[in-house]
Amino acid sequence: MSTKDLNLYTHFNAQILRHADDELLCTSDGRSYSYADAGELSGRMAGALRDLGATPGDRVSVQVEKSPESLCLYLACLRAGFVFHPLNMAYTAGELEYFLDNAEPVLVVCDPGNEAAIRPIADAAGAKNVVTLDGDGNGTLTEHAAASSPDFGIVKRQHDDLAALLYSSGTTGVPKGIMLTHANLLRNTEALVNAWEFSSQDRLLHALPIFHVHGLFVAIGCVMLSGASMRWLPGYNVRDVIRFLPECSVLMGVPTYYTRLLAENDFTKEVAANIRLFVSGSAPLLEETFVEFETRTGHCILERYGMTETNMNASNPLKGERKPGTVGPPLPGVEIRIVDDEGRNVAVGETGNLQVRGPNVFIGYWKLPDKTAEDFTEDGFFNTGDKGRIDEDGYVSIVGRAKDMVISGGLNVYPKEIELFIDDLPGVRESAVVGVPHADFGEGVVAVVVPENAGEMREADIVDACKAELANFKVPKRVVFVDELPRNTMAKVQKNVLRETYRDLLS
Ligand code: MCA
């Protein structure tokens, strides 16, 4: 095996050295950070985290607002060999309890406003320390970092060394930790930089959250591996996006970003004139959005396909035809095959189960070897749970999901998790959760509830209870009460019937 250092940061560092004085990012209020600044602050943070008790391989759980400092915290973990465990700011204390208990972090970094609630959870999970970082870059982590040396060095990482642990809820309702290695991230980012021809001339408009693959690995990875720069927004605000697009060359987003742009009259061809690449992913891009975007701006949005377990698998081409409704051919080095339920390859154009193999694919679920074994074939393909087909030109289309999942505004929601929660509420006999079309989020969550006693529950009872315990994007947009759920002869709830019955509820 090669002894080449696979630490992703080593490869970012080559750009930090080459572009030391160049801008890495500029915030929406005009604060500029150079590549050298990022190198220095990440070194200080790495030293601070080490002094607080972290050693290579330890998890560092992070639930903080997006800021230049939170980006440096990610870089610090990479360079020190700590396993970065990012958490959505929307997670509630109850959800965090599960994540921290399962990930067993040595350190937890949180917003100062949440410290009182998180400290006992972190203590119970065995963390040695909790430090804080707010959206302006202040907090006890920053204080520790200021007292540390910037000269940290880079911890060498080999093939199976973890870079990050990201959770996905899963169809059982219990979240699973997805183990991503430095090699996974490095190889996939290299493939994307080549496929999309990123260079130091690029400026990316970064409006995505940085607790998911899209904003964290794809967007930041392409920038930092190519010496490019970013306009760094704290979140997606369509007015800011329109304001900053003219100075940028690339935008990455979920389909909601594009439908929201199209809803603005002053989003014009001129505003988009400097952009060379609009990328969409994390959820299906409707063909009508693709067409309307092209008509308005002259640009064909490039749709690509990935998932947390695999990073990016396929991409429409930078040069060549971008076919709406497809996610393009597999990226170089990635193999995609479509098989039937017996594992046999299907004919070209036939629909089947989509499987992936390549250096991008994760090494397994955290502490779940049996589940890992179940999801991989004997010849090393990962069963994505997506249904797909490949056309005669090699373009892949995702045509459905074998697993029960809703994608809302680019975020995966697993109905089982919400059903388990609602079923436990007093007055509820049972429930079924489905996704139905939503004009803004693509799909929105609807809960269909059978109460113990008809007429005794209100929609607000369920919504308020969910809001108190579940991350906001999982909260049903509507709740409907029924006397019974439709079931097939095997007594299985017919979710397709529910999806059809309530298909216009959110539009
Ligand atoms: C916010 N809300 C949502 C969502 N986001 N509801 C459903 N789905 C959502 N995604 C709710 C809030 O609870 C709130 O409800 C109301 O909408 C407004 O909230 P706000 O925070 O103002 O919304 P926003 O800032 O406009 O956010 C919407 C968003 C955001 C911009 C679409 O969700 C977003 O940035 N999504 C991108 C997620 C992403 O990065 N996905 C990549 C995953 P209320 O008013 O009732 O409180 S990586 C991945 O999937 C794979 C690997 C891949 O291939 O990329």
Side-chain angles (χ1 to χ4, degrees):
M1 185 181 289
S2 152
T3 54
K4 188 180 168 205
D5 182 13
L6 292 169
N7 192 320
L8 179 61
Y9 186 85
T10 301
H11 301 260
F12 289 167
N13 195 47
Q15 301 300 331
I16 290 175
L17 298 176
R18 191 168 305 143
H19 296 282
D21 296 330
D22 296 343
E23 185 171 89
L24 168 62
L25 66 86
C26 186
T27 61
S28 49
D29 57 3
R31 279 178 295 139
S32 177
Y33 293 69
S34 67
Y35 268 85
D37 292 337
E40 184 185 323
L41 184 53
S42 66
R44 290 184 188 281
M45 284 187 174
L49 296 172
R50 176 201 53 207
D51 296 344
L52 287 162
T55 59
D58 287 342
R59 274 76 56 218
V60 176
S61 298
V62 175
Q63 191 195 37
V64 298
E65 297 286 356
K66 181 179 174 184
S67 67
E69 289 74 18
S70 62
L71 164 59
C72 290
L73 173 56
Y74 161 58
L75 298 177
C77 289
L78 287 180
R79 75 189 279 178
F82 310 143
V83 180
F84 189 67
H85 171 212
L87 292 153
N88 192 328
M89 279 303 283
Y91 288 142
T92 63
E95 289 169 315
L96 287 179
E97 206 172 321
Y98 174 85
F99 290 124
L100 298 192
D101 188 55
N102 191 262
E104 299 179 279
V106 162
L107 300 178
V108 176
V109 188
C110 69
D111 189 87
N114 297 334
E115 188 184 0
I118 288 181
R119 195 168 274 281
I121 300 173
D123 286 348
K128 286 186 191 162
N129 252 309
V130 176
V131 283
T132 62
L133 182 66
D134 71 13
D136 294 324
N138 301 313
T140 53
L141 174 61
T142 311
E143 289 161 20
H144 285 292
S148 283
S149 161
D151 304 322
F152 184 85
I154 304 172
V155 173
K156 206 166 180 181
R157 297 285 81 186
Q158 293 301 317
H159 202 263
D160 281 347
D161 287 328
L162 297 191
L165 187 64
L166 270 65
Y167 280 75
S168 134
S169 269
T171 46
T172 57
V174 181
K176 306 182 293 282
I178 294 162
M179 299 192 286
L180 294 164
T181 65
H182 282 265
N184 290 149
L185 303 182
L186 176 61
R187 294 296 169 241
N188 202 234
T189 315
E190 285 172 340
L192 294 175
V193 166
N194 288 332
W196 297 341
E197 296 185 6
F198 260 82
S199 80
S200 58
Q201 300 305 306
D202 276 312
R203 186 165 180 80
L204 177 118
L205 184 44
H206 197 301
L208 286 157
I210 59 166
F211 39 72
H212 287 300
V213 165
H214 198 163
L216 186 61
F217 304 136
V218 181
I220 293 171
C222 283
V223 166
M224 290 203 70
L225 217 53
S226 63
S229 69
M230 295 181 270
R231 177 63 74 166
W232 182 257
L233 307 185
Y236 183 86
N237 171 313
V238 75
R239 297 312 314 164
D240 281 344
V241 170
I242 289 176
R243 176 172 156 219
F244 291 119
L245 268 180
E247 64 167 46
C248 294
S249 61
V250 181
L251 175 70
M252 292 184 188
V254 300
T256 301
Y257 288 19
Y258 294 104
T259 50
R260 287 189 184 179
L261 275 173
L262 288 168
E264 301 293 312
N265 288 333
D266 61 347
F267 176 60
T268 58
K269 205 180 187 104
E270 290 67 41
V271 169
N274 196 42
I275 298 281
R276 70 171 184 89
L277 181 59
F278 287 101
V279 178
S280 178
S282 318
L285 181 74
L286 292 181
E287 196 162 338
E288 66 197 55
T289 310
F290 180 95
V291 171
E292 196 185 335
F293 202 88
E294 186 182 9
T295 309
R296 177 91 66 95
T297 65
H299 288 278
C300 292
I301 299 172
L302 179 151
E303 186 172 6
R304 54 68 181 170
Y305 164 62
M307 59 194 299
T308 306
E309 283 90 338
T310 64
N311 294 278
M312 299 304 104
N313 295 313
S315 168
N316 270 285
L318 183 70
K319 297 175 177 135
E321 191 188 2
R322 295 181 196 163
K323 294 191 197 178
T326 81
V327 293
L331 285 162
V334 180
E335 295 168 81
I336 297 183
R337 72 181 181 194
I338 310 290
V339 298
D340 63 18
D341 289 343
E342 275 70 52
R344 292 179 300 241
N345 285 316
V346 303
V348 172
E350 295 282 315
T351 297
N353 303 311
L354 194 152
Q355 299 183 334
V356 183
R357 184 167 70 178
N360 52 317
V361 178
F362 76 132
I363 57 165
Y365 293 110
W366 176 247
K367 299 197 283 199
L368 293 172
D370 292 347
K371 176 68 186 154
T372 304
E374 203 180 290
D375 283 358
F376 280 87
T377 63
E378 273 176 17
D379 55 352
F381 277 81
F382 172 63
N383 219 331
T384 61
D386 285 326
K387 295 273 179 194
R389 63 166 174 261
I390 304 180
D391 73 12
E392 62 288 352
D393 299 327
Y395 283 55
V396 177
S397 297
I398 312 300
V399 295
R401 296 166 209 148
K403 59 192 171 203
D404 190 14
M405 183 178 90
V406 179
I407 307 183
S408 180
L411 295 172
N412 295 354
V413 180
Y414 289 87
K416 189 74 186 169
E417 188 185 349
I418 305 169
E419 289 160 2
L420 288 174
F421 177 77
I422 294 178
D423 289 353
D424 265 355
L425 295 175
V428 172
R429 179 172 301 157
E430 61 172 346
S431 65
V433 167
V434 290
V436 303
H438 186 288
D440 188 30
F441 294 129
E443 284 185 306
V445 172
V446 168
V448 185
V449 174
V450 181
E452 294 282 6
N453 298 306
E456 282 187 9
M457 291 201 90
R458 291 172 314 133
E459 185 167 8
D461 297 334
I462 307 271
V463 170
D464 292 349
C466 289
K467 273 192 177 160
E469 295 294 332
L470 300 175
N472 58 13
F473 62 92
K474 300 178 193 167
V475 175
K477 302 285 177 219
R478 287 295 310 273
V479 178
V480 287
F481 294 100
V482 295
D483 292 337
E484 59 182 353
L485 297 172
R487 294 184 185 275
N488 64 14
T489 48
M490 310 290 286
K492 193 169 183 288
V493 174
Q494 291 172 300
K495 292 213 164 173
N496 51 340
V497 172
L498 294 176
R499 277 189 285 270
E500 197 45 44
T501 307
Y502 300 109
R503 66 169 297 108
D504 297 326
L505 198 63
L506 302 181
S507 36

